[in-house]
Amino acid sequence: MITSRAFAGRRYAVLGLARSGLATVEALVASGAGVTAWDDREEARDDAMALGADIGNPLEIDLIGFAGVVVSPGVPLNRHPIAAHAREAHVPVIGDVELFAEARGDLPPHKVVGITGTNGKSTVTALIQHMLESAGVPSLMGGNIGLPILSRDPIPEGGVYILELSSYQIDLSHSLACDIAVLTNLSPDHLDRYDGFTGYAASKARLFGLQHQGQTAIVAVDDDPSKMVASRINHRLHRVSGKDIDPVDQARWPALQGPHNAQNAVCAIAVCRVLGLNDEQIERGLATYTSLPHRMELVGEVGGVRWYNDSKATNAASAAPALAAFPPAPDQRLHWIAGGQAKGDGLAACRPWFGHVRQAYLIGEAMESFAAEIGDALPVDPAGDMATAVAHAAAAAKPGDIVLLSPACASFDQFKDYEQRGDVFRGLVRALGA
């Protein structure tokens, strides 16, 4: 695990003892810190005690003298009482990424790349890691992807930590100065946690404000809000665009098709160039990359029909690039499974690509509202649930067609999370070819 002398002799409160919370307790205790931990679940409190933590609810104890209250990114600071309680005691509310930033001085010399944005950040993170790994550079993914960063062993000298950073994780960081910081794009999301879109965009932009002179910012300027963020950066800046990618080149990268993946690729290429990779190493990484689960993941081909799992597309802005990736060839070939628990942004972002869709199969709570919004723009099948949608799409699709699950909705009406939704889809597709 990652430990640091910086934590020794200090006391921290840890609120929430899921995977990252327990990893934080273990790393702090191993570093010589005192830890008071809390979770509503008794078994989680028992796990923390076994690691050496005291048990106490940070909302009920006197926090004066604590070095920090460590919370999960899921804790809404705009309405959770811990924020005010900590502020009264003049104690910062932080996350495990901030602890990683504070521990950097005890790690072998390294670089940190931080990636944020509304969409694409997981793919950019994984793509950079793959490109570095295939070039023989020690690297490690963390943050909003993979295992908790503090639970990982430090990488050797000359390595690169690649952190996917949600706006929540940036909010909980105060000393994270990324050697390279990346913004993929900006569109409305998580507005329940911010003072409108302006507050959300400011949270993302803060990643660059934490950087020092001499560090590098990379911003994809394909949307106006990202252009605005770029215009306010006054240190080393690379502006990039998905339009910079030659379609002939992109055709050689099987897992990086569509305009959204052109943007993902150009961000990753810019990072790897700053880190010193040459064109041959970059091309090899792009050509051999395989998609992350639930992100335009090719889950099977049955009877000449390709099936893609894009369950991670939980809003229309995320689903739109997936629709754009499959233009008619020469006729519409795309069967689109959409719906779930709507986020309130409707399908406006998807509308420019309705002409790519042969038929939409709608599921979940959003079925009726999506059907009304689509109107007669394209044929609609009110399937209701995933199994019915897959069965109907399988019956209608012809060789050469594409079936795409890209819901443009949260999953919580019918599934535990987007991962379970994608897993169910994958299983239904595999059963078709059994």
Side-chain angles (χ1 to χ4, degrees):
M1 78 186 84
I2 290 174
T3 59
S4 174
R5 291 168 294 181
F7 308 140
R10 296 181 172 184
R11 176 158 287 278
Y12 294 84
V14 178
L15 178 60
L17 298 171
R19 192 169 59 172
S20 65
L22 287 174
T24 297
V25 170
E26 187 172 18
L28 287 172
V29 170
S31 299
V35 177
T36 301
W38 183 259
D39 193 287
D40 290 338
R41 297 170 298 125
E42 184 177 358
E43 62 272 20
R45 299 197 297 269
D46 291 343
D47 290 339
M49 272 201 300
L51 294 171
D54 300 327
I55 300 302
N57 189 337
L59 282 169
E60 298 173 356
I61 63 175
D62 183 355
L63 293 175
I64 291 175
F66 277 64
V69 180
V70 188
V71 302
S72 150
V75 172
L77 295 183
N78 61 334
R79 57 182 185 272
H80 195 285
I82 191 60
H85 186 51
R87 189 164 53 247
E88 289 169 4
H90 303 287
V91 175
V93 180
I94 59 177
D96 63 337
V97 170
E98 169 61 17
L99 291 174
F100 166 77
E102 295 176 14
R104 290 184 64 187
D106 284 337
L107 299 175
H110 61 276
K111 300 285 189 186
V112 169
V113 178
I115 299 104
T116 196
T118 304
N119 297 305
K121 54 188 177 291
S122 295
T123 295
V124 174
T125 302
L127 179 55
I128 293 168
Q129 200 274 337
H130 173 75
M131 293 163 77
L132 292 173
E133 186 178 64
S134 63
V137 179
S139 57
L140 179 67
M141 291 192 301
N144 205 41
I145 191 170
L147 297 171
I149 187 66
L150 296 179
S151 72
R152 309 299 297 276
D153 291 333
I155 51 179
E157 181 174 347
V160 181
Y161 294 89
I162 312 130
L163 305 179
E164 178 191 335
L165 299 169
S166 69
S167 57
Y168 307 156
Q169 288 168 311
I170 298 170
D171 294 341
L172 295 169
S173 298
H174 308 287
S175 57
L176 177 66
C178 296
D179 298 283
I180 306 173
V182 181
L183 177 65
T184 58
N185 49 65
L186 274 175
S187 58
D189 201 12
H190 303 306
L191 300 189
D192 59 321
R193 292 275 293 261
Y194 296 99
D195 181 17
F197 179 60
T198 301
Y200 169 69
S203 175
K204 296 290 195 185
R206 191 167 164 273
L207 182 64
F208 302 105
L210 293 170
Q211 288 187 289
H212 303 150
Q213 288 294 328
Q215 295 182 321
T216 301
I218 294 170
V219 179
V221 290
D222 295 303
D223 60 83
D224 289 339
S226 295
K227 288 178 185 173
M228 182 64 70
V229 171
S231 73
R232 293 171 177 164
I233 293 171
N234 58 12
H235 52 282
R236 187 178 299 151
L237 170 65
H238 297 278
R239 291 178 172 87
V240 299
S241 167
K243 299 181 182 68
D244 299 339
I245 296 296
D246 187 331
V248 175
D249 292 334
Q250 192 177 0
R252 298 194 300 267
W253 313 330
L256 293 167
Q257 298 304 293
H260 65 306
N261 275 321
Q263 185 183 72
N264 294 336
V266 78
C267 290
I269 290 167
V271 169
C272 289
R273 283 189 174 143
V274 172
L275 291 172
L277 269 62
N278 61 39
D279 289 348
E280 181 184 344
Q281 291 170 319
I282 288 171
E283 174 65 28
R284 183 169 62 245
L286 293 164
T288 57
Y289 174 72
T290 54
S291 300
L292 289 167
H294 316 296
R295 296 165 179 85
M296 288 290 284
E297 172 195 12
L298 178 61
V299 296
E301 183 170 331
V302 183
V305 176
R306 285 181 289 158
W307 296 73
Y308 284 87
N309 167 23
D310 193 39
S311 183
K312 182 68 164 64
T314 58
N315 57 39
S318 302
L323 300 182
F326 301 108
D331 298 321
Q332 287 91 347
R333 56 190 171 130
L334 184 59
H335 301 258
W336 177 30
I337 300 175
Q341 190 175 75
K343 287 189 170 182
D345 54 350
L347 291 173
C350 295
R351 183 167 290 277
W353 314 109
F354 281 178
H356 290 188
V357 181
R358 177 173 287 183
Q359 179 149 302
Y361 307 79
L362 302 181
I363 65 174
E365 288 178 5
M367 181 175 68
E368 292 184 4
S369 62
F370 276 13
E373 188 172 355
I374 291 170
D376 57 5
L378 57 94
V380 168
D381 178 342
D385 59 68
M386 186 71 75
T388 304
V390 167
H392 288 187
K398 300 177 174 60
D401 283 359
I402 304 291
V403 182
L404 169 70
L405 168 66
S406 193
C409 279
S411 57
F412 306 119
D413 56 337
Q414 295 182 329
F415 302 96
K416 181 180 71 173
D417 51 30
Y418 76 83
E419 292 169 321
Q420 185 192 43
R421 176 169 63 188
D423 290 342
V424 168
F425 175 75
R426 189 190 297 112
L428 289 166
V429 173
R430 288 179 177 167
L432 293 173

